Amino acid sequence: QKEVEQDPGPLSVPEGAIVSLNCTYSNSAFQYFMWYRQYSRKGPELLMYTYSSGNKEDGRFTAQVDKSSKYISLFIRDSQPSDSATYLCAIGGIQGAQKLVFGQGTRLTINP
Amino acid sequence: EAQVTQNPRYLITVTGKKLTVTCSQNMNHEYMSWYRQDPGLGLRQIYYSMNVEVTDKGDVPEGYKVSRKEKRNFPLILESPSPNQTSLYFCASSSGLLYEQYFGPGTRLTVT
């Protein structure tokens, strides 16, 4: 079983739609949860970071963590064509392990 | 400008010919890491370094070597490249594993 599972998509939605991106993980010891965004031909860049269950909001983006279900989500409201990118979840924080595990990435396209 | 640089950006080589991909950061970060990105497999960690002269294996270290003689540089060495090392490689740096990782622009390597 993979430590982190992420639907690779691709996902294509119209501009203005609400987008939901999800990851599941297998080890309940993970404590830190991140979302990175990667534009074509670029390196990933940090979008959201959280270390507790619940929601964290930043503008049009909301990161949600459900530790009991081992499930994390990223919601994008009022999606824009500039949001078209690959989104990668990343989890880490197992005590004693210098390890950050990335999901496969979901390729998202927002159509004007 | 804070950045991570990698060179070369593109490289085509033949099996068995030793190569080095350089990585340099100007943010005085202690933590540096190398990843490879393959379709359907996402980002996988090759090696990481927590400080000068301190390196350790990630998830896919076979066929790679690293060194950390200076804080700013973390080269990736392929002593005898093979076709299965054809991939997109990213270097990243951060203040610590669980802080924001800054990624370089990537190096696309093709081994024939």
Side-chain angles (χ1 to χ4, degrees):
Chain A
Q1 183 183 9
K2 287 185 180 178
E3 289 185 285
V4 181
E5 296 270 10
Q6 183 177 6
D7 186 341
L11 183 61
S12 183
V13 302
E15 184 176 353
I18 297 175
V19 177
S20 172
L21 304 168
N22 310 295
C23 287
T24 59
Y25 61 97
S26 57
N27 192 333
S28 58
F30 283 119
Q31 300 177 54
Y32 294 85
F33 309 93
M34 307 167 198
W35 285 94
Y36 279 81
R37 177 174 61 194
Q38 184 178 17
Y39 290 114
S40 181
R41 296 189 175 84
K42 300 282 189 182
E45 55 183 359
L46 183 68
L47 191 60
M48 299 283 283
Y49 182 126
T50 183
Y51 59 90
S52 59
S53 281
N55 294 350
K56 182 176 181 179
E57 195 172 310
D58 184 1
R60 295 183 296 109
F61 298 89
T62 300
Q64 187 175 81
V65 175
D66 183 348
K67 286 188 176 181
S68 62
S69 301
K70 296 195 281 271
Y71 192 86
I72 64 173
S73 300
L74 177 70
F75 298 97
I76 306 174
R77 291 187 302 279
D78 188 25
S79 55
Q80 304 294 310
S82 58
D83 296 328
S84 298
T86 296
Y87 290 80
L88 302 106
C89 61
I91 61 174
I94 293 179
Q95 191 170 7
Q98 291 293 325
K99 189 172 184 178
L100 192 63
V101 182
F102 283 84
Q104 299 97 310
T106 299
R107 188 172 173 185
L108 173 66
T109 301
I110 308 297
N111 301 302
Chain B
E1 179 190 356
Q3 62 181 352
V4 178
T5 57
Q6 294 178 228
N7 282 292
R9 293 289 311 279
Y10 302 91
L11 179 59
I12 300 174
T13 189
V14 297
T15 298
K17 186 176 181 182
K18 181 179 178 179
L19 66 91
T20 299
V21 183
T22 64
C23 172
S24 184
Q25 50 93 5
N26 62 2
M27 295 169 277
N28 200 37
H29 284 161
E30 293 183 343
Y31 185 91
M32 297 187 73
S33 185
W34 276 102
Y35 295 88
R36 60 177 290 174
Q37 187 172 38
D38 302 289
L41 297 176
L43 276 168
R44 292 179 294 167
Q45 190 178 51
I46 302 171
Y47 269 94
Y48 64 90
S49 168
M50 295 175 64
N51 213 325
V52 175
E53 302 291 2
V54 181
T55 64
D56 207 347
K57 297 176 181 178
D59 290 325
V60 288
E62 295 78 20
Y64 304 94
K65 285 176 59 177
V66 293
S67 67
R68 185 93 181 272
K69 293 181 168 40
E70 304 168 281
K71 197 172 187 178
R72 63 182 291 128
N73 297 322
F74 190 44
L76 180 70
I77 302 157
L78 284 73
E79 294 269 3
S80 183
S82 62
N84 63 14
Q85 293 178 298
T86 292
S87 187
L88 179 59
Y89 291 87
F90 288 101
C91 179
S93 75
S94 68
S95 301
L97 170 67
L98 298 174
Y99 291 86
E100 177 176 2
Q101 295 206 43
Y102 293 82
F103 284 82
T107 295
R108 185 164 292 282
L109 171 65
T110 302
V111 183
T112 60

